[in-house]
Structures are given as structure tokens and as C-alpha cells.
């Protein structure tokens, strides 16, 4: 169904007409494209998205906004996102390109960490919406593995969920009608594979698109080699995530042997660019001068056989050029998460050689603005699933007096992170919990005071709580010595976090100071660490609650695997819902915590 050769054109479903014509914002840029030589080249358009995370609706709060330069030159932040709006703009972009050769591609994390609307049905709603967007191909990302490899294969190939059954018994789930690619994901030795040889990836490594005019484009799709660090040990145990450069080079050479001369890497490993706006000039001081991160390093080393990189993972939109090992420029692009932007890439293929004419390649990110009309066909898909989940999603569970920023906060310690960690202590008090630690990525949204539906301002619904804690990770309470607790706090600033610290969101009993002028583990000022006002002593024992992901050493916090006397408690979602119910009311809504438990020098 999803091998490397191209699929028949009949396998794609056409996108229904929106009945709306929109004008794209500005001319595409990066390099000036030569005039199309009709007798020598074929024009191609790629429309790229990434990191949707099942957000069929716009994400609430700051996570559902984008910063841009307004018509008056001022920096402004505007609401953005929503797959129905995205569909309208993709359709308009295809019309604007004026070519029959337009492909929509995705770069992983399209599912996983999803709001209740999609997660209640194991992301089948998102797959159906992506099909309606006319998605041609997608790489896997780390979040495609959130429910394990067997569930990912079900999403790819079809079948009812083994525990929850069919969402619609009259029409069982038939799998994705676009191929998922996983070039660097192999079964661990002895684990077996559904594809046959243990040396094969769990899903196809690449996909070849043959254009009607005969030219072919090869897409190599893969996720970060660090995906295993983003998964709980039970989900990663049977998998090996191989090095990205060696993997891309291997399959680029294989595509070249098959006569495919135009190659695009769909890489779920991203970068971060400087600049406040989504379209900040990435090449302001030279090629990719404003770009940092692993994707830049990977793209700089991969074989010149690869013509372009479309990336994901860091949620940051950028369009950059970067020299390949032969010194020739090639594009590296990424769209913003949650469908806030899409990337429009255009280039020419040489009809005689089949090669991608790199000087013709240009790209730009476009904002999916809140005033964009929703696409009729995609809106119909979303509303069908919304009706199925409405009863649970709309149930009120708490009240807030103001916005409580989490995912949309730009601070290392967030108000919502503090609230969730307090909820986890409250939920595990019977297990003796004194404090809780929460990974920053464990909070997936914001709690927004303004009503998202008919519930009224300040009312938190079950669906909104689920959006904050969608993984339903069990909580684990363990004994840590004082020295182990200090070691965990040092790991926030060392090892894999040496260059990009990750502050574990602390519950109210924990306080400490950190010095940003120092480096590595020395950033933690050990003598300032307090639990319930008392200095932490190396030989004392503390009861600490974390989610299962952290308890298994996730995100590089390996010291937590040493915890003893472990007790499993309720899920993180249950803890949050119970806390909201027990600590808020219409007359006494919760205020945002001050997020002052970590003091920065």
C-alpha cells in the first residue's frame, strides 16, 4: 500500500471546492526565480505543514497566535490556525501557482499530544482531515509514537482500535491514504518487524512521486535520532532511531541509483531562527546566519544529492538557504506549529535530466489568519467528529479568574506549569508526596479565560483541561535522597540541556535560585534549594511525584530512574481535573500562580 514506488493518481481524493478566492500576501522570496522555460523545465509547488498535534481547531491563547510585521510596520500578534482555514489557503495557493504539479507534504507530529476532539478517537479525526487537505506524504515525528509502534502501524494501515473498537462500527477505520515515512526507525534486534527483515525500517523510507510529464521527485522521511528520549521507555524499547545524516545519505544514494535526480528530505528535526516575526530574514548576515539547531547541522552535512530540506519539531517558522557540502545553496524550511502557517515552496525540474533546478527554488511562510473563511469540506469533517465528542468535551470542571499561560508562555517556569505540578502533589498526597516536578513539554496548551464555546468566560471545560494534559500519563511517586533531588535539578542545566536548559515545573514546596551567568550544572545554586522552607540535605529522603515519562528517565532526566518505593497514582489529566473541581468555583475562581518558585540571577 505504501511502498517507495508512486501510487496511482486515483488513490488521491480531490479537495472539495471552497467557493472562496484569496490573494496570497506577497511574492515568494529567497532567490529570484528565472522565467519558466516551458520547453525545458516543469514547475512544481510543495505546500508544507508540520507539528499539527491534532489541533483541528485553532489552539487557544498565545499558542494559537503568530507575530508578524503589520502594514504600518509595527510588530503585531494575531490569532492564527485551524485546519479548515488552512484548507482554504492551500487551495488558493494551488490556484496562485498555476501548475498542475502541486503536492502537500507534512513533516511529522501531525498527531499525538492532541486536543480531546481528535484524541478521543485516537487521532482518526486528524487523519481524515489531512486526507481532506489532499496530503500526499508525511514523515513520522516523535509524537506519532505516543501510543506505541503498533498503534502507529494501525493509523497507517487501518483497523479498529484494539481496546476502544471502531468509532463508527458501520464504517471501520481504513488507514491513512497517504504514506507515512520512517527511514531511520528500525525494530530493535530480536523485536521483529511487520515489514519482514529486521534490517528494514518499520515504515517505508521514501516515496517517489512521478509527475504526468515523466519527472520524478523522491521524498525521504525521518524523525529525530533523539526521538527515543522524548518517549517513555515502554514506547521506545523495541525501536532504534538511527543517525539522520547517514540515513538520508543512504536513501539519497538509493534514489539516485533508481534514476531519481530530484530529492527532498522531510526531516522531523528542526531549528530556531532569530527575529521576532514569523518571516524574519534568516539570511540577513549570510546563508542561514539567523538559524541555529540540529537541523542546520544535519543539512550542512548531508549529501549534495539532496536538493531541499523541509523540517519540523521546533514549531518555529523559517525559510533559509544553506550551502551543501559541495558549496551549492539549498533551501531549508519549516512552518509554525498548530497550522498557524504553511510553507509555499516553488521550483523547476529540468525535463531532460530530471534534476531540481536549485536557483529556481524559492519559498515563503504564510499565516493562516483568523479572518480566513473555513473550507466547507474540511469544516464538515471537523464538525462531524465534534458532535461525537461534544458531551464529554463541554463538561465544566473548574473556573479561572484570568488567563493562565502554559505552552504559550515565553518563560522557563510557567504559571500553568506551576498549577499542574500543584495538582499532581494534591493527587498523590496519600502516597506521601511532598513535591512534584513536571517536564515543560508536558503542558500542551494554555487555560484561557475567554469562553471558547457556550460555557461562559472563566469556565474550564473537560476538553480544555484535556488540551493541557492530553497524554493521560500515570503519575509515579517515588523516594529520592536529597542528593538525588539535587542531581535532578542539576540535569536541567547539564547533559542534553547544557545549551538549552529545561526547567522542570516545580510545585509550591520547592524553591531555588539559578545563575544564568554560570554554565552547565553550576547554574543551580545548591545552597538555595528548599523544600517546604527547609534546606535540602543529601541524606534525607523526599517523596517526589512525576509523570511516567519522567519516571522512566524521559528528556534526559536519568536520575529519576533511581527513585525507590515507587507507587503509581492517577493520570496527570485526572489530577488536573480533580484539582480544578476541588479548588475553584464560580465565586472563587483560580488565579494564575506567580511562577516565582525559581529565582534567576
Amino acid at each position: 500500500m505504501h511502498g517507495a514506488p508512486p501510487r496511482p493518481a486515483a488513490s488521491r481524493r480531490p479537495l472539495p471546492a471552497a467557493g472562496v478566492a484569496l490573494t496570497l500576501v506577497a511574492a515568494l522570496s529567497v532567490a529570484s526565480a528565472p522565467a519558466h522555460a516551458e520547453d525545458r523545465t516543469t514547475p512544481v509547488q510543495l505546500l508544507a505543514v508540520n507539528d499539527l498535534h491534532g489541533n483541528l481547531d485553532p489552539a487557544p491563547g498565545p499558542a494559537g497566535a503568530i507575530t508578524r510585521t503589520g502594514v504600518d510596520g509595527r510588530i503585531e500578534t494575531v490569532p492564527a490556525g485551524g485546519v479548515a482555514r488552512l484548507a482554504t489557503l492551500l487551495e488558493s495557493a494551488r490556484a496562485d501557482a498555476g501548475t498542475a504539479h502541486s503536492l502537500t507534504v507534512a513533516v511529522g507530529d501531525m498527531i499525538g499530544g492532541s486536543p480531546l476532539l481528535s484524541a478521543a478517537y485516537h487521532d482518526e479525526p486528524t487523519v481524515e482531515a489531512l486526507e481532506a487537505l489532499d496530503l500526499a506524504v508525511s514523515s513520522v515525528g516523535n509524537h506519532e509514537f505516543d501510543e506505541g509502534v503498533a498503534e502507529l502501524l494501525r493509523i497507517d494501515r487501518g483497523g479498529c482500535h484494539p481496546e476502544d473498537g471502531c468509532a463508527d462500527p458501520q464504517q471501520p477505520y481504513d488507514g491513512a491514504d497517504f504514506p507515512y515515512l520512517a527511514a531511520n526507525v528500525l525494530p530493535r534486534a530480536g523485536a521483529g518487524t511487520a515489514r519482514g527483515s529486521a534490517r528494514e525500517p518499520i515504515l517505508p523510507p521514501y516515496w517517489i512521486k512521478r509527475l504526468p510529464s515523466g519527472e520524478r521527485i523522491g521524498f525521504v522521511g525521518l524523525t529525530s535520532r533523539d526521538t527515543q528520549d522524548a518517549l517513555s521507555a515502554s514506547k521506545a524499547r523495541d525501536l532504534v532511531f538511527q543517525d539522520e545524516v547517514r540515513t538520508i545519505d543512504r536513501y539519497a544514494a538509493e534514489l539516485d541509483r533508481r534514476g531519481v535526480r530530484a530529492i527532498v528530505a522531510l526531516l522531523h528535526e528542526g531549528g530556531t531562527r532569530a527575529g521576532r516575526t514569523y518571516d524574519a530574514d534568516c539570511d540577513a548576515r549570510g546563508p542561514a546566519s539567523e538559524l541555529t539547531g540540529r537541523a542546520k547541522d544535519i543539512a550542512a552535512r548531508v549529501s549534495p544529492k539532496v536538493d531541499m530540506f523541509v523540517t519540523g519539531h521546533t514549531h518555529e517558522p523559517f525559510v533559509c538557504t544553506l550551502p551543501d557540502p559541495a558549496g551549492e545553496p539549498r533551501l531549508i524550511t519549516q512552518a509554525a506549529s498548530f497550522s498557524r502557517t504553511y510553507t509555499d515552496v516553488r521550483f523547476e525540474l529540468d525535463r531532460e535530466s530530471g534534476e531540481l533546478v536549485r536557483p529556481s527554488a524559492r519559498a515563503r511562510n504564510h499565516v493562516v489568519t483568523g479572518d480566513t473563511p473555513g473550507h466547507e469540506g474540511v469544516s464538515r469533517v471537523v464538525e462531524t467528529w465534534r458532535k461525537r465528542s461534544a458531551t464529554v468535551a463541554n463538561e465544566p470542571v473548574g473556573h479561572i479568574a484570568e488567563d493562565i499561560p502554559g505552552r504559550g508562555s515565553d518563560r522557563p517556569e510557567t504559571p500553568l506549569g506551576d498549577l499542574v505540578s500543584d495538582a499532581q502533589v494534591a493527587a498523590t498526597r496519600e502516597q506521601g508526596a511532598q513535591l512534584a516536578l513536571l517536564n515543560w513539554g508536558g503542558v500542551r496548551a494554555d487555560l484561557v479565560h475567554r469562553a471558547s464555546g457556550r460555557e461562559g468566560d472563566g469556565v474550564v471545560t473537560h476538553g480544555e483541561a484535556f488540551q493541557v494534559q492530553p497524554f493521560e500519563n500515570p503519575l509515579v511517586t517515588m523516594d529520592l535522597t536529597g542528593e538525588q533531588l539535587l542531581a535532578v535539578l542539576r540535569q536541567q542545566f547539564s547533559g542534553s540541556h547544557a545549551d538549552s536548559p529545561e526547567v522542570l515545573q516545580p510545585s509550591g514546596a520547592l524553591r531555588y535560585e539559578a545563575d544564568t551567568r554560570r554554565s552547565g550544572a553550576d547554574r543551580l545554586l545548591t545552597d538555595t534549594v528548599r523544600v517546604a522552607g527547609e534546606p535540602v540535605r543529601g541524606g534525607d529522603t523526599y517523596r517526589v511525584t512525576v509523570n511516567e515519562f519522567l519516571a522512566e528517565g524521559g528528556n534526559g532526566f536519568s536520575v529519576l530512574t533511581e527513585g525507590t518505593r515507587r507507587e503509581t497514582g492517577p493520570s496527570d489529566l485526572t489530577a488536573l481535573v480533580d484539582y480544578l473541581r476541588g479548588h475553584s468555583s464560580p465565586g472563587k475562581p483560580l488565579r494564575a500562580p506567580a511562577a516565582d518558585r525559581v529565582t534567576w540571577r
Side-chain angles (χ1 to χ4, degrees):
M1 173 181 176
H2 298 326
R7 293 168 300 154
S11 67
R12 303 296 319 139
R13 293 206 296 267
L15 187 68
V20 179
L22 295 176
T23 302
L24 290 176
V25 180
L28 296 166
S29 62
V30 164
S32 296
H36 169 51
E38 208 168 305
D39 58 338
R40 292 184 288 108
T41 62
T42 298
V44 178
Q45 177 187 55
L46 297 184
L47 298 171
V49 292
N50 53 271
D51 297 279
L52 179 64
H53 291 287
N55 281 268
L56 302 179
D57 291 327
I66 202 80
T67 302
R68 68 182 184 184
T69 303
V71 292
D72 58 357
R74 296 182 181 181
I75 304 299
E76 62 182 9
T77 300
V78 297
V83 293
R85 296 169 181 164
L86 173 65
T88 296
L89 292 177
L90 293 183
E91 188 172 76
S92 180
R94 294 182 189 112
D96 176 80
T99 174
H101 311 307
S102 178
L103 298 171
T104 302
V105 302
V107 201
D109 280 8
M110 302 303 285
I111 61 175
S114 307
L116 186 64
L117 172 58
S118 184
Y121 298 98
H122 302 280
D123 280 318
E124 292 174 26
T126 295
V127 173
E128 185 175 348
L130 293 175
E131 292 172 345
L133 286 176
D134 203 25
L135 185 65
V137 63
S138 179
S139 70
V140 298
N142 52 291
H143 281 282
E144 266 78 17
F145 295 91
D146 281 349
E147 293 191 46
V149 65
E151 173 62 6
L152 171 58
L153 295 177
R154 185 190 75 85
I155 286 292
D156 178 64
R157 296 164 184 168
C160 298
H161 191 272
E163 295 178 4
D164 296 335
C166 295
D168 182 356
Q170 303 302 315
Q171 190 175 359
Y173 176 66
D174 61 357
D177 73 359
F178 53 87
Y180 267 115
L181 307 180
N184 66 331
V185 187
L186 275 66
R188 193 173 297 278
T193 172
R195 296 193 74 223
S197 167
R199 299 181 62 84
E200 289 186 336
I202 61 167
L203 288 164
Y206 58 82
W207 176 67
I208 301 171
K209 172 63 178 180
R210 182 186 294 273
L211 302 181
S213 50
E215 299 90 347
R216 294 182 295 169
I217 308 172
F219 295 88
V220 180
L222 66 163
T223 186
S224 170
R225 72 181 184 197
D226 297 329
T227 290
Q228 60 191 9
D229 297 330
L231 301 174
S232 62
S234 61
K235 301 297 190 299
R237 148 175 87 227
D238 293 334
L239 299 172
V240 175
F241 298 89
Q242 296 187 319
D243 178 77
E244 303 96 341
V245 175
R246 289 196 297 270
T247 298
I248 298 171
D249 283 355
R250 172 189 172 185
Y251 290 112
E254 184 172 319
L255 285 165
D256 187 65
R257 288 194 298 272
R258 296 185 62 173
V260 179
R261 303 290 183 247
I263 301 174
V264 177
L266 304 177
L267 171 65
H268 190 77
E269 177 60 88
T272 302
R273 54 80 183 113
R276 293 177 59 192
T277 64
Y278 79 96
D279 56 353
D281 185 359
C282 189
D283 302 327
R285 292 187 292 272
S289 57
E290 305 298 312
L291 184 66
T292 59
R294 289 200 64 239
K296 180 178 182 179
D297 175 64
I298 292 166
R301 294 188 291 126
V302 160
S303 165
K305 288 183 172 65
V306 176
D307 296 293
M308 185 181 302
F309 282 82
V310 184
T311 71
H313 192 47
T314 51
H315 296 199
E316 294 263 6
F318 56 80
V319 172
C320 309
T321 54
L322 187 70
D324 69 16
E328 296 299 321
R330 60 183 169 192
L331 278 176
I332 175 171
T333 74
Q334 184 171 303
S337 59
F338 309 149
S339 72
R340 291 175 295 152
T341 74
Y342 68 92
T343 313
D344 188 335
V345 186
R346 302 184 192 183
F347 54 86
E348 305 275 332
L349 294 179
D350 186 285
R351 289 186 177 179
E352 183 176 349
S353 67
E355 293 179 350
L356 192 154
V357 183
R358 288 202 200 173
S360 72
R362 69 270 192 208
R364 181 169 177 173
N365 272 296
H366 295 274
V367 180
V368 180
T369 54
D371 59 356
T372 304
H375 188 283
E376 181 181 347
V378 177
S379 295
R380 191 181 307 117
V381 170
V382 174
E383 293 309 315
T384 296
W385 289 100
R386 193 189 313 281
K387 290 176 183 177
R388 292 176 175 171
S389 60
T391 301
V392 174
N394 295 335
E395 178 191 4
V397 297
H399 300 80
I400 56 175
E402 58 190 328
D403 288 353
I404 305 182
R407 193 71 174 191
S409 174
D410 59 0
R411 300 165 63 184
E413 177 192 355
T414 70
L416 187 52
D418 285 0
L419 186 150
V420 172
S421 60
D422 287 345
Q424 294 182 357
V425 171
T428 55
R429 194 75 74 184
E430 291 185 2
Q431 284 82 45
Q434 298 168 270
L435 66 137
L437 297 169
L438 171 68
N439 53 308
W440 189 91
V443 174
R444 305 302 298 183
D446 309 291
L447 288 181
V448 178
H449 183 264
R450 184 177 179 179
S452 59
R454 299 178 180 177
E455 72 276 10
D457 291 350
V459 177
V460 180
T461 65
H462 189 279
E464 290 166 341
F466 188 97
Q467 196 157 7
V468 173
Q469 296 278 263
F471 301 120
E472 297 192 80
N473 275 322
L475 298 178
V476 179
T477 304
M478 63 180 70
D479 282 356
L480 293 179
T481 66
E483 189 51 50
Q484 288 172 326
L485 176 58
L486 294 174
V488 171
L489 297 180
R490 292 188 188 103
Q491 285 186 319
Q492 299 174 114
F493 310 109
S494 59
S496 60
H497 304 302
D499 296 327
S500 300
E502 177 181 350
V503 172
L504 293 169
Q505 309 296 288
S507 62
L510 179 65
R511 307 269 170 161
Y512 63 89
E513 297 180 16
D515 191 340
T516 57
R517 297 166 295 183
R518 299 187 180 191
S519 61
D522 289 341
R523 290 183 178 128
L524 178 72
L525 302 181
T526 305
D527 59 354
T528 68
V529 182
R530 301 284 188 277
V531 173
E534 296 295 323
V536 170
R537 298 176 178 86
D540 288 355
T541 298
Y542 300 86
R543 292 290 281 168
V544 180
T545 294
V546 296
N547 59 42
E548 184 181 58
F549 169 69
L550 283 176
E552 295 177 348
N555 275 19
F557 291 100
S558 56
V559 174
L560 290 171
T561 64
E562 302 170 10
T564 59
R565 207 161 63 86
R566 295 173 173 241
E567 294 184 61
T568 301
S571 75
D572 49 13
L573 175 62
T574 298
L576 176 59
V577 168
D578 287 351
Y579 189 84
L580 291 167
R581 283 176 169 152
H583 290 77
S584 69
S585 66
K588 193 175 181 181
L590 281 171
R591 302 203 71 87
D596 59 356
R597 298 165 189 181
V598 181
T599 301
W600 299 90
R601 293 187 183 179

